[in-house]
Amino acid sequence: MKKTLVAVAALAVAGGAFAQSTVSLTGKLAFAYESAKAQTSGAKTSGLRVTDGDFVLTAVEDLGGGLKAQASMAVQSRGRTTNVQGRDATVALMGGFGRVTIGAVESGNGIIGLASAGAPTRGLDNGVTSAAAGNVDWLAYHTNSMGGFTATVQYVDSISAAGTGGSENTSPLQDAILVGAAYANGPIAASADYTSYGQNGAALVATTTDNRIRMSGSYDLGVAKLGLGYARQKDVLGVATKDLMLGVSAPFGPVTVGLVYATRKVGAAAANKGLDLGVDYALSKRTAVRAMYQTIDVNTPIDGSTFRVRLMHTF
């Protein structure tokens, strides 16, 4: 009897301890038919393909006293015969002071999130009509929300190649310091940040980045959402690359339609232009069919265009 009681008590204690930690598995998988015309050669391709396949493991532990630890790791898998590779991986501490995160992540475009206004499109963060994402190692601090306002400070270690380079490395990779602020309350959302780039002791070249500013916002009218974003990046010679993005989306029951227009202008050159159109039909909260069309004008006789119909399930 005593052994039974001891065993029950041990299980109760263990259950209480395990209850402080949770592990979740989330992700998405999507297949599509796609027809595309290359930007440079004009070659046409079409067929079936896997467009999304990401799985994320997230563990959260309650450390007590309002402090929590979180570890998250994503893995990409696009089906048979494709490589399985690591994606974003982070470890964080959260509490009344805010959130401190360290990890290797994909540093996003920066303005597309709000500027696209939630339009169900393919995405113009392609490096042609707007800035592309890059892989970085980073240490970031985010404040908790104060009346809808949050602030961010990030140390970014080696732009463009997560896991390589370093703050004192003499390769062309650059480190950076980012400071930013955001506001989200009711129908309004806005974000702005400034980044100063280091040179890592490498010799300066024309493409070495000096600084960048980004600003974006969205407003939800109820019947539609509007978005606007602007980014300017200067190199050490003073040449500026300017990105502008406008987006709109509108829901009609289970159907959402949207449009995004973007331009990129480097110095005195003519601007590249891109247009994204999309229609999303929600079969449920987790499953949807999306039709997308994208066209890109790079000021040459050859324009790029893509048409895609995709079925995606998230979990």
Side-chain angles (χ1 to χ4, degrees):
M1 183 65 178
K2 289 183 179 180
K3 290 182 179 181
T4 301
L5 291 175
V6 170
V8 171
L11 286 173
V13 171
F18 285 125
Q20 297 178 38
S21 299
T22 60
V23 179
S24 63
L25 173 65
T26 58
K28 58 185 177 181
L29 186 61
F31 286 79
Y33 169 81
E34 183 173 288
S35 176
K37 180 180 178 181
Q39 299 173 27
T40 54
S41 66
K44 294 182 179 180
T45 58
S46 63
L48 299 174
R49 59 172 298 193
V50 183
T51 60
D52 301 86
D54 299 281
F55 307 89
V56 184
L57 279 169
T58 303
V60 179
E61 181 183 14
D62 188 343
L63 301 175
L67 186 65
K68 292 183 178 180
Q70 182 186 75
S72 179
M73 181 173 63
V75 176
Q76 181 185 80
S77 176
R78 297 291 172 89
R80 290 176 60 87
T81 71
T82 61
N83 294 328
V84 176
Q85 55 186 346
R87 302 288 282 175
D88 290 357
T90 60
V91 178
L93 286 176
M94 302 167 287
F97 59 87
R99 178 188 180 103
V100 175
T101 305
I102 188 169
V105 303
E106 181 180 77
S107 180
N109 169 274
I111 66 172
I112 192 172
L114 294 178
S116 64
T121 55
R122 188 170 184 265
L124 286 166
D125 51 338
N126 48 26
V128 177
T129 56
S130 58
N135 295 327
V136 301
D137 298 325
W138 72 356
L139 174 64
Y141 169 70
H142 304 272
T143 67
N144 291 325
S145 178
M146 296 170 285
F149 287 95
T150 56
T152 300
V153 179
Q154 296 175 5
Y155 170 67
V156 183
D157 191 4
S158 299
I159 301 295
S160 301
T164 64
S167 60
E168 299 303 324
N169 194 284
T170 57
S171 72
L173 304 179
Q174 292 185 262
D175 303 303
I177 298 292
L178 177 150
V179 292
Y183 176 78
N185 195 1
I188 301 174
S191 178
D193 60 60
Y194 174 81
T195 305
S196 177
Y197 292 84
Q199 310 308 327
N200 291 26
L204 299 182
V205 296
T207 57
T208 303
T209 307
D210 183 63
N211 63 75
R212 179 189 65 196
I213 59 170
R214 301 184 297 193
M215 298 176 288
S216 60
S218 66
Y219 188 84
D220 193 341
L221 300 169
V223 295
K225 181 182 285 188
L226 306 176
L228 175 65
Y230 172 78
R232 188 206 66 200
Q233 180 172 295
K234 280 189 175 183
D235 64 27
V236 292
L237 300 181
V239 178
T241 299
K242 299 177 181 179
D243 295 350
L244 178 66
M245 183 175 290
L246 303 128
V248 60
S249 67
F252 300 92
V255 177
T256 301
V257 299
L259 177 153
V260 177
Y261 175 75
T263 66
R264 164 164 272 211
K265 183 177 175 63
V266 181
N272 293 338
K273 302 172 184 177
L275 181 66
D276 239 355
L277 303 170
V279 179
D280 192 88
Y281 180 74
L283 300 170
S284 69
K285 290 183 178 180
R286 297 178 179 270
T287 304
V289 176
R290 180 176 295 186
M292 299 161 277
Y293 177 76
Q294 181 182 97
T295 181
I296 297 172
D297 179 359
V298 293
N299 295 300
T300 70
I302 300 171
D303 296 337
S305 61
T306 304
F307 171 74
R308 177 188 290 176
V309 179
R310 185 190 72 184
L311 174 64
M312 184 165 79
H313 177 77
T314 60
F315 58 91

